Amino acid sequence: MGGKRAQEREMMESRQLFATERVAGRAVYRLHAVTVAIGILLVLYYRVTRVPAAGEGRAAWLGMLAAELWYAAYWVVTQSVRWSPLRRRPFRDRLATRYGERLPCVDIFVCTADPESEPPSLVISTILSVMAYNYPTEKISVYLSDDGGSVLTFYALWEASLFAKHWLPFCKRYNIEPRSPAAYFSESDGHKALCTPKEWSFIRDMYEEMTERIDTAAISGKIPEEIKENHKGFHEWNQKITSKNHQPIVQLLIDGKSGNSVDNEGNVLPTLVYMSREKRPQHHHNFKLTESQGNIRVSSVVSNSPIIMNVDCDMYSNNCNTIRDALCFFLDEEMGHKIGFVQYPQNYNNLTKNNIYGNSHQVTNQVLMGGMDSVGGPMYVGTGCFHRREILCGRRFTEDYEEDWKRGIKDKTQESIDEIEEKAMSLAACVYEHGTQWGDDIGLKYGYPAEDIITGLAIHCRGWMSVHNNPPRAASLGVAPTTLAQTLLQHKRWSDGAFSIFLSKYCSFLFGHGKIKLRHQMGYSIYGLWAPNSLPTLYYVIIPSLALLKGTSLFPEITNPWITPFMYVFCVKNMHSLYEALSCGDTLKGWWNEQRMWMVRRITSYLYGFIDTARKLLGLSKMAFAVTSKVSEEDESKRYEQEIMEFGSASPEYVIIATVALLNLICLVGGLSQIMAGGWNIILNSFFPQLILCGMLVITNIPFYEAMFVRKDKGRIPFSVTLASIGFAVLALLAPIV
């Protein structure tokens, strides 16, 4: 009997298209979590039972209690998804054996917004990389969604449609990776052996000539008249068109399903579409949201594939088998019908060795997202995701639901390209959604800047699960911010949007109540609580240091047994954080840089996100969308490669950073002076924890002192910022500790 069951289990496993594994080392983690939780409770008990008398630092003590209560609550939230993270492993070979070429069609959306911050030559490298996936080309449709409505972007795509006839057969003939020409030729020395030098040079020269033409047009802002005659789409633009005032534009540059568009070896090319939804000054355009809705509708009349993938314009394909891997989850016989979307992590190709700005996200990708996978699935992060078309149109999960995998194949019509374009343009009109459920029950949710979070939450609340796939070779690689300003802007935007959602009806604890697990709700709230994290962090990096200078003790004496839980929580949490970082591939210095950026983001980006959200709730400011630039000056790029922090401008965020750094330096020097002048043993015993905390903050802030007082390059902190910071630090020193 047992042998028969084992045989049945083996047969079932052999039919599975993916495996689910639990991450090792969870027993050690759980021991750590339980002991840290006990330590936190003891710290809070100590705070509550030893409140000093009025005039002896009571207000500061209660402030420390409030900050530590917040940290305790947030720690519980973050640990909710760390308890049992999963790792998924697709079986691509089984997919090929079972389905062969009977695979579903896939629509790929590549979104861009501004040709200045997102150069057209960068965008088309991403386009070419996703056109070259290891997948039947007649089943791929690629849409470049240009929210800037720029003729420069359209021109770049037209150039790419011609180059694709040479690039795609070259990629598949030699099975090259990556399939972004920009990335491939930048790694040229390692690839020349795959083909003849003559062919390699021919393709490279063709690519460089194309990018030179595109960059020249982008710099001049004009398309040569003789080029405009090569495609009717250029006539959509005239002198009256602006990025915020233009008609809907849909142009099929390659109609792959007709079978007539082929590469230079006679193979069918993927369908390639340019689209830009209509914008008019009198109509609110909802930023990226309406763009995404328009993509769904326009694609429904062009290709109507059952699976939709979306990527940012700087996230080029780094793994040609990404589509096949994703389909292993959707097509699995046992679990596939429950999966609404497959999320890949965000990875970058331009990170420095030691992650100077803390942008690697490796712990998030491997631990937090894997942890959410164990409680219902990761959230949708806005890029690198495969969705069922039906769930983006509002379908709820039911056990008897069957996907129409032939959709897109059987939907071929005899309509001409002009007829298809005309129908598609009507779906991209700015008034199309008026009086409909688009933005509510259908598509992405309107009204909040982080629409991707709400959309993922709504999908989970409709009964679907999602999976996180983090393959050994990254699915896609993008461009991480290369300056501090870009990094802070990005995190300000994220924290503002996530906090706005947390305070809305779409808060995971409200919207998800009774629909998803409590731990899943907590996982969603991790990012929603980024912004309010700024307040206790700002308190903790200022008040204990000021109290040290003014002789007010806020921690147990070093000889007091109650110091033990404080020391234990501090040491064990940091040791575990270091262990996670190293096990996820970061370096020791990279971990230290991440700790610095953890503090910097909280006292600047998240603080601004908190303030902006509060202003919006009070009706004092309107929601705006900021595009993070993908372009840096040459000097900035050199300093980034050397891991030198970039400041340069007189930004208010830098004033906060410099003020906190100077304040802690002054307090450390003043505190040490008091210790040396007074009774060494007595004072050191009373203020040792504050001295350690202040000293660590000073060590963390060393790059800021260098930028204020040592560096002479253009990336240093401007003198005006230093001067303002000195003034604010002096004002802080005058504040009493009561």
Side-chain angles (χ1 to χ4, degrees), residues 293-314:
Q293 315 283 43
N295 296 342
I296 297 170
R297 294 194 298 270
V298 167
S299 65
S300 70
V301 299
V302 178
S303 51
N304 200 32
S305 300
I307 297 295
I308 293 175
M309 177 194 186
N310 72 297
V311 292
D312 286 342
C313 65
D314 63 319

Side-chain angles (χ1 to χ4, degrees), residues 294-502:
N295 296 342
I296 297 170
R297 294 194 298 270
V298 167
S299 65
S300 70
V301 299
V302 178
S303 51
N304 200 32
S305 300
I307 297 295
I308 293 175
M309 177 194 186
N310 72 297
V311 292
D312 286 342
C313 65
D314 63 319
M315 301 291 290
Y316 67 82
S317 167
N318 184 59
N319 186 334
C320 67
N321 290 306
T322 296
I323 295 179
R324 292 179 180 271
D325 285 349
L327 289 176
C328 287
F329 299 101
F330 290 116
L331 296 174
D332 182 75
E333 292 181 3
E334 182 181 355
M335 296 292 294
H337 69 291
K338 299 179 181 180
I339 296 172
F341 64 89
V342 177
Q343 179 67 63
Y344 284 82
Q346 286 182 278
N347 293 289
Y348 304 105
N349 68 343
N350 64 330
L351 295 174
T352 60
K353 178 183 177 182
N354 296 306
N355 193 21
I356 183 66
Y357 294 123
N359 289 318
S360 76
H361 307 314
Q362 286 304 312
V363 173
T364 298
N365 292 343
Q366 298 183 40
V367 180
L368 292 182
M369 296 296 267
M372 288 194 70
D373 207 347
S374 69
V375 294
M379 64 178 61
Y380 168 43
V381 302
T383 185
C385 190
F386 289 81
H387 286 95
R388 293 178 186 267
R389 177 180 291 273
E390 287 291 305
I391 67 167
L392 291 177
C393 294
R395 178 176 286 278
R396 295 182 176 275
F397 171 75
T398 57
E399 284 289 348
D400 60 350
Y401 172 68
E402 292 185 10
E403 183 66 72
D404 181 7
W405 293 116
K406 293 183 179 180
R407 170 190 291 188
I409 299 173
K410 65 182 183 182
D411 291 346
K412 293 182 180 179
T413 68
Q414 299 303 314
E415 291 179 304
S416 67
I417 288 180
D418 289 341
E419 290 173 327
I420 293 173
E421 289 175 348
E422 191 67 29
K423 185 185 294 185
M425 283 192 288
S426 68
L427 300 177
C430 57
V431 296
Y432 179 85
E433 296 179 356
H434 291 184
T436 72
Q437 293 299 307
W438 283 95
D440 187 9
D441 290 336
I442 303 176
L444 282 69
K445 302 290 184 181
Y446 285 160
Y448 303 91
E451 75 286 346
D452 39 18
I453 296 177
I454 301 179
T455 300
L457 177 60
I459 291 170
H460 285 132
C461 290
R462 292 200 297 263
W464 297 95
M465 63 176 286
S466 61
V467 297
H468 180 245
N469 188 29
N470 189 14
R473 182 179 179 92
S476 57
L477 292 175
V479 180
T482 57
T483 67
L484 183 59
Q486 292 173 6
T487 301
L488 297 183
L489 170 62
Q490 188 178 69
H491 278 269
K492 184 266 177 186
R493 194 177 73 220
W494 289 346
S495 62
D496 179 10
F499 189 42
S500 296
I501 292 169
F502 186 80

